[in-house]
Amino acid sequence: MNEIPVVFGAERHLVGTLTLPTEGTPAKAAFVLMNAGVVHRIGPHRINVKLARHLAQLGFASLRFDLSGQGDSRVPVSTLDFAQQAVADIRAAMDHVARTADVHRFVIAGICSGADNGWSTAQADTRVVGLCMLDGYAYPTPKTRWMRYRLRARGPILSAVLPWLRRKVAAFRLPREDQVQADGGRTPPSHADYARTMQSLVDRGVEVCVVYSGSMLPQYNYVDQYREAFAGHGFATRVRSEYQPTIDHTVTPLSAQRQLLDLVGDWARTLK
């Protein structure tokens, strides 16, 4: 692969690394990778570096970069708020890849706040044809609450109280503030807004893969939670949803990193 340091953006304030496959013509879509929270563009435990190189082996170009004011990127002369600036930065990254690699379709992959920024950019730019989101917004179901009780309840009393808990949970309506996972001050969309937007993206042809790690307990804690949370919506069966309890939020163990690379790589192959 070829890895090229780049500076781009209207103010040339954004810094990143463009990774290009060395063999064959690059795939018709390129990946954009960015910060997770305040972590440098390399990603937690260098996962973005490893992902970019893995994708290059599969024929995908990618650009991993620092958002404005993070890592090596400077703060721009701009009046945009952080969320708006993140979208502007990602669109500038896509512009740069389009000019230098002649690729005009994009997949955004992000962790936590990176997932949120990808979600927002996909709504703003039709060049986005794929989204891969690790630990993005999570929407609990009644079963999620039931699973919490199961995880907390231990000892001989468990078998005696389980039938009672099942009845209580089945009749329990989740409180409003428990409908979504808010992390680090993020303001998540309501269940209805998320469903409406996701349906629009999927209908537009955007391929989506959502992955939830074991760190999402207790907001996300069983395999079919995503599909059950959005049962009745057409996109629920068209989005690839993965619950991977052996992966943690910052993808720390090497085994978890390998698992995530394989998962994203397998999904990426379907985009060609």
Side-chain angles (χ1 to χ4, degrees):
M1 71 205 72
N2 291 326
E3 293 193 302
I4 308 165
V6 295
V7 177
F8 60 96
E11 300 178 38
R12 294 189 61 76
H13 67 291
L14 298 171
V15 178
T17 303
L18 179 64
T19 303
L20 300 172
T22 55
E23 297 181 2
T25 303
K28 294 180 180 179
F31 277 72
V32 177
L33 315 172
M34 77 218 75
N35 312 81
V38 296
V39 179
H40 189 273
R41 65 180 178 274
I42 65 175
H45 304 288
R46 302 183 72 249
I47 191 64
N48 283 351
V49 177
K50 297 177 181 181
L51 178 57
R53 293 172 179 176
H54 182 60
L55 290 168
Q57 293 175 343
L58 300 178
F60 290 92
S62 66
L63 175 58
R64 58 184 183 273
F65 78 103
D66 289 314
L67 297 169
S68 293
Q70 300 189 43
D72 294 317
S73 293
R74 293 184 290 106
V75 176
V77 179
S78 173
T79 58
L80 298 176
D81 64 27
F82 178 79
Q84 293 171 328
Q85 187 63 53
V87 172
D89 291 347
I90 296 170
R91 298 182 80 175
M94 293 192 291
D95 292 341
H96 183 80
V97 175
R99 287 194 304 269
T100 58
D102 195 29
V103 179
H104 303 274
R105 302 166 73 242
F106 298 92
V107 180
I108 303 175
I111 300 172
C112 192
S113 63
D116 302 348
N117 292 330
W119 164 260
S120 298
T121 305
Q123 298 172 55
D125 200 310
T126 57
R127 292 178 296 176
V128 178
V129 297
L131 274 177
C132 184
M133 301 183 286
L134 172 63
D135 288 351
Y137 304 126
Y139 294 80
T141 67
K143 183 176 178 179
T144 309
R145 169 91 47 175
W146 162 241
M147 294 297 291
R148 292 180 199 172
Y149 285 125
R150 287 191 61 184
L151 291 169
R152 292 172 182 170
R154 293 292 186 271
I157 194 173
L158 181 60
S159 59
V161 300
L162 279 180
W164 176 82
L165 284 177
R166 288 194 184 99
R167 291 193 299 271
K168 288 295 184 182
V169 172
F172 186 81
R173 185 169 185 175
L174 293 171
R176 183 183 181 88
E177 66 272 16
D178 199 28
Q179 290 296 314
V180 294
Q181 160 72 0
D183 185 14
R186 294 185 288 165
T187 302
S190 68
H191 184 281
D193 286 344
Y194 179 94
R196 188 180 307 110
T197 301
M198 184 60 81
Q199 189 67 60
S200 176
L201 292 175
V202 170
D203 288 344
R204 195 180 85 197
V206 178
E207 297 291 338
V208 181
C209 177
V210 295
V211 184
Y212 295 96
S213 75
S215 299
M216 289 295 280
L217 291 172
Q219 288 81 15
Y220 201 104
N221 54 28
Y222 67 98
V223 171
D224 292 325
Q225 180 172 323
Y226 190 88
R227 288 185 176 86
E228 292 182 7
F230 296 101
H233 296 276
F235 72 85
T237 57
R238 295 165 63 185
V239 168
R240 176 170 176 174
S241 59
E242 296 277 349
Y243 175 52
Q244 298 293 338
T246 56
I247 296 177
D248 63 292
H249 188 61
T250 54
V251 203
T252 307
L254 292 177
S255 59
Q257 294 175 23
R258 183 73 258 167
Q259 186 179 354
L260 183 63
L261 294 182
D262 288 343
L263 190 158
V264 176
D266 289 345
W267 175 73
R269 288 186 181 94
T270 69
L271 304 176
K272 289 188 172 183

